[in-house]
Amino acid sequence: CIGRQSETRSTEDMQELAVPGEYSFGRNRIKLCIKPSDPAKIPENKYTKWFDYDKIKGRLTLRKRRPGDIIAVDDAGHHKKLNRFMIDRKIPQHIRDSLWIIAEGDSVIWLVGERIGADYKVTEQTKRVLEITIAGECEDE
């Protein structure tokens, strides 16, 4: 991966993400880079995920959840409100507001440490992959 260092300072609750780029948030680092697609090599790692880069049309942000956030839950295009998704996954209420998400508007691309949005999954038709890696405290949770 080749990334460029970003001079942008992170706020505590939201950071716009340029691709490629590297950012700090809290005691964590996030790295975004573009790779050619190879569905056979998708990493099985809780804190490194691959996304179909050509399906992302807007700006990406790293932030905490907000009212109105939605996540695609399957390949058929079904969506859930992020709050309902967290309840269904039995994520304790006291930690829901502390979880980081990567979003395109109100569409959740990745609930970090949990699940990626089905709308952004790598498929056989994927040409460019966005690889996002998070390192730091998140890994210890």
Side-chain angles (χ1 to χ4, degrees):
C1 285
I2 298 175
R4 73 173 200 277
Q5 191 69 19
S6 173
E7 295 298 319
T8 307
R9 294 278 178 209
S10 163
T11 62
E12 209 168 292
D13 61 351
M14 188 178 103
Q15 170 70 55
E16 281 197 13
L17 303 172
V19 179
E22 289 188 41
Y23 301 86
S24 293
F25 64 104
R27 294 185 185 153
N28 299 289
R29 303 255 333 132
I30 183 168
K31 182 177 182 179
L32 301 92
C33 60
I34 299 174
K35 296 181 164 197
S37 181
D38 186 350
K41 292 186 179 181
I42 296 175
E44 294 291 327
N45 182 317
K46 190 172 181 179
Y47 294 101
T48 298
K49 297 295 181 193
W50 280 16
F51 306 88
D52 187 328
Y53 186 60
D54 295 316
K55 292 180 181 176
I56 298 170
K57 304 299 181 205
R59 304 270 306 158
L60 296 179
T61 56
L62 172 72
R63 59 178 175 80
K64 306 294 175 105
R65 70 179 179 149
R66 295 181 182 159
D69 285 340
I70 58 170
I71 187 166
V73 294
D74 60 30
D75 295 335
H78 297 104
H79 292 78
K80 281 189 180 183
K81 289 186 176 186
L82 184 59
N83 187 52
R84 173 51 49 197
F85 174 79
M86 289 183 182
I87 291 167
D88 292 348
R89 293 286 295 240
K90 300 190 181 348
I91 296 171
Q93 184 175 5
H94 67 278
I95 67 167
R96 292 180 201 154
D97 286 334
S98 66
L99 296 176
W100 290 98
I101 66 169
I102 297 177
E104 176 185 31
D106 63 0
S107 181
V108 175
I109 292 176
W110 183 16
L111 176 58
V112 176
E114 286 289 325
R115 168 115 182 235
I116 70 169
D119 288 344
Y120 302 95
K121 281 185 177 179
V122 173
T123 66
E124 293 294 326
Q125 291 75 38
T126 301
K127 292 180 176 50
R128 297 183 299 166
V129 168
L130 170 61
E131 180 183 82
I132 303 177
T133 302
I134 295 181
E137 276 187 354
C138 282
E139 295 176 305
D140 300 331
E141 294 174 353

